[in-house]
Amino acid sequence: MTRFIGRREYFGSILYDREKADYIPFDKDATEIFDLSSEKTADEVHRALSDRIEKRNFETFIQLCQGIGILDAKGKYTGTFIGKDGSKKGHLSAPLRVYYSCTKKCNFNCKHCFSSSGNPYPDELSTQDSKKLIDELANLGCFELSFGGGEPLLREDLPDLINHANLRGITVRISTNAAAASKEITKRLKSVKIRSFKISMEGASEKVYDYVRGQSGAFRKALRGIKNLKGLGVPIYLQMVLMKTNASDLPAFVRFAEKLKVEKILIETIMPSGRAAQNPQLLLDVAETNHLWETVHKIQKNTSIKIEIPHYVPFRTGSALMFEGFGCKCGTLVCHVDPRGTVAPTGFLKDILPSGSLREKTLKQIWDAGQSMIQFRSFEGNEVCSSCNHFSACRGGCRARALLVDKDINQPDANCAIAHPIKA
């Protein structure tokens, strides 16, 4: 299977590196170099572009691409491009990653669950429907698919769906609570390729974990599941969603992760969505959140395990090439599909701001013209964010949190200490 596969965008192109499981954006000049290289020598390519690219810069670019493997020793593009240029100014032709909550079924009934998971919907997408989605992703050049839930390991056809994604060259990641990872289930997963498991662990002790999960013995089940998943040899990340009931367990959680020898820790904070909105006593305010983030930074200095805070505010992941204007990556770089096929910019707002249904339209149609997708690419923003030194990367932070906490999707992220000064 070709390592590099590209798709054309309004700014040039994006190449997906299947070996590294990462996207690389290129401008129009670089894209033209790739196109011309199939029929011309490197010198001929430069002569064709000499009015725009200096010789030294051209040679440096060629060497860098050869070092990565995008160009071979003769300067020929080693990858392929799929489809036509279906992009429009300001947004990508398709998402870079789709988060597919493939079932609402879950073995727990957590108080903080953003999707209120527990019992499955009676009309969840079938195996055939899910494979149709996977096929469309591959055809669009979206090569990152994250299975979540509910609990995805409780879906009987999950190995079949993963295998289908593998055959289409799509990288698969799984978000799970691990407690459902029985020996039987993990045995079925041995024949498919999974890039990583993100395991939700909201406590480092039986007392804290079982309370959050709302089930006695849940912690022991999770430990058994983690042991089974480690047997697959797939990188494991532990994710801790911080809330009032487990915040004090943070230092112990890091020690717990060290003992398990996982690759990484991800720290998130509770979002007032789904069942969590019904349990406001669990929510953290901006001061509590930022205090915990500072605690994480201090802990990081004394541990070898990598700790990430994906939604640390101000955000540091904005891309000027692929992402313009105010707002987060939802609806601009990624989107969410719920168990019944409802597509939304983010799973946190799937019931409030849905964009369309896969039972009625294709993902491409929804991505391009869904009302909330368009909304997420055309926010007005606010003066506080637009005048902030961090704006080029942050773009205002999480839009879901702004809407759910401050009831205004154009306001700064509710966890931003710059926009919401913390009183001493």
Side-chain angles (χ1 to χ4, degrees):
M1 189 174 288
T2 304
R3 176 180 172 182
F4 296 100
I5 186 162
R7 71 187 207 206
R8 303 178 192 284
E9 300 291 348
Y10 68 91
F11 52 78
S13 62
I14 299 173
L15 300 190
Y16 186 71
D17 182 348
R18 287 197 170 111
E19 184 177 303
K20 301 293 185 182
D22 196 16
Y23 291 95
I24 311 172
F26 291 96
D27 62 19
K28 292 181 178 179
D29 287 340
T31 303
E32 190 168 356
I33 290 174
F34 299 148
D35 288 335
L36 293 174
S37 72
S38 63
E39 299 179 352
K40 299 179 181 292
T41 66
D43 287 339
E44 289 173 335
V45 172
H46 178 256
R47 281 198 293 272
L49 303 175
S50 59
D51 61 327
R52 305 202 303 271
I53 307 175
E54 293 183 2
K55 182 70 171 178
R56 181 183 300 177
N57 293 337
F58 176 81
E59 291 176 344
T60 299
F61 177 77
I62 296 298
Q63 291 172 3
L64 288 172
C65 288
Q66 288 174 329
I68 298 172
I70 296 173
L71 297 177
D72 65 18
K74 294 182 179 180
K76 304 291 185 181
Y77 174 54
T78 63
T80 61
F81 276 99
I82 61 173
K84 299 179 179 179
D85 184 358
S87 64
K88 297 179 180 179
K89 177 64 176 177
H91 84 270
L92 299 180
S93 62
L96 300 182
R97 177 180 293 186
V98 166
Y99 293 89
Y100 178 24
S101 293
C102 60
T103 182
K104 194 184 178 188
K105 185 178 182 180
C106 190
N107 45 339
F108 292 136
N109 193 34
C110 304
K111 297 180 179 65
H112 71 288
C113 181
F114 82 93
S115 60
S116 301
S117 295
N119 295 320
Y121 292 118
D123 57 344
E124 296 185 348
L125 292 183
S126 66
T127 301
Q128 183 178 356
D129 292 332
S130 299
K131 287 185 176 181
K132 183 179 178 180
L133 169 62
I134 291 169
D135 286 336
E136 185 176 4
L137 295 182
N139 294 336
L140 290 173
C142 175
F143 295 106
E144 290 276 341
L145 177 60
S146 293
F147 285 100
E151 175 46 57
L153 297 184
L154 294 179
R155 180 158 175 152
E156 288 293 324
D157 62 355
L158 183 65
D160 188 22
L161 297 181
I162 296 173
N163 181 63
H164 191 69
N166 291 163
L167 293 174
R168 296 306 310 268
I170 294 175
T171 298
V172 171
R173 304 173 194 274
I174 296 180
S175 296
T176 173
N177 59 43
S182 65
K183 289 184 178 180
E184 179 184 355
I185 290 176
T186 50
K187 182 179 180 180
R188 295 178 64 207
L189 293 176
K190 286 184 178 181
S191 61
V192 297
K193 295 179 182 178
I194 299 168
R195 187 73 183 188
S196 64
F197 285 102
K198 182 171 69 176
I199 298 175
S200 177
M201 288 290 296
E202 271 63 62
S205 67
E206 191 167 357
K207 179 180 179 181
V208 174
Y209 186 92
D210 286 4
Y211 176 79
V212 172
R213 294 293 186 225
Q215 185 181 122
S216 178
F219 186 69
R220 293 193 297 273
K221 291 179 182 178
L223 289 182
R224 286 196 296 269
I226 291 174
K227 181 180 179 181
N228 291 335
L229 291 176
K230 285 179 75 69
L232 295 174
V234 176
I236 288 179
Y237 310 148
L238 290 190
Q239 174 178 280
M240 185 182 198
V241 177
L242 293 172
M243 61 195 94
K244 296 266 192 185
T245 52
N246 69 359
S248 62
D249 210 32
L250 180 56
F253 181 80
V254 176
R255 294 193 295 271
F256 169 74
E258 289 173 335
K259 291 180 180 178
L260 287 179
K261 297 181 180 179
V262 299
E263 278 71 16
K264 185 164 58 177
I265 294 173
L266 301 172
I267 299 295
E268 293 284 4
T269 51
I270 187 171
M271 185 80 83
S273 175
R275 202 174 289 126
Q278 302 167 14
N279 292 285
Q281 74 278 5
L282 302 178
L283 305 180
L284 302 168
D285 61 28
V286 62
E288 292 169 322
T289 298
N290 278 266
H291 172 72
L292 287 168
W293 287 345
E294 288 303 313
T295 300
V296 171
H297 292 319
K298 292 176 182 178
I299 292 174
Q300 180 68 91
K301 296 177 181 178
N302 298 302
T303 180
S304 59
I305 194 168
K306 185 178 182 181
I307 308 176
E308 292 183 0
I309 309 174
H311 292 98
Y312 178 89
V313 187
F315 284 11
R316 301 171 183 177
T317 57
S319 172
L321 195 57
M322 294 191 291
F323 177 15
E324 299 179 352
F326 176 81
C328 59
K329 65 181 181 179
C330 298
T332 55
L333 304 183
V334 304
C335 68
H336 178 271
V337 178
D338 86 346
R340 294 178 290 187
T342 298
V343 182
T346 167
F348 291 113
L349 302 179
K350 64 182 179 63
D351 297 322
I352 302 174
L353 293 173
S355 286
S357 172
L358 293 178
R359 300 187 191 278
E360 300 171 357
K361 297 179 179 180
T362 65
L363 180 66
K364 173 65 173 174
Q365 290 172 328
I366 298 170
W367 176 259
D368 283 342
Q371 185 175 353
S372 58
M373 294 294 181
I374 294 174
Q375 179 181 2
F376 267 66
R377 298 165 192 151
S378 55
F379 289 125
E380 295 178 1
N382 60 83
E383 187 175 346
V384 174
C385 290
S386 61
S387 61
C388 181
N389 293 333
H390 299 283
F391 181 75
S392 62
C394 180
R395 311 295 177 87
C398 178
R399 296 301 84 222
R401 195 178 299 277
L403 179 60
L404 294 172
V405 177
D406 291 330
K407 312 305 177 185
D408 187 342
I409 205 165
N410 282 292
Q411 288 303 303
D413 189 312
N415 279 340
C416 179
I418 299 174
H420 305 86
I422 299 172
K423 297 179 180 179

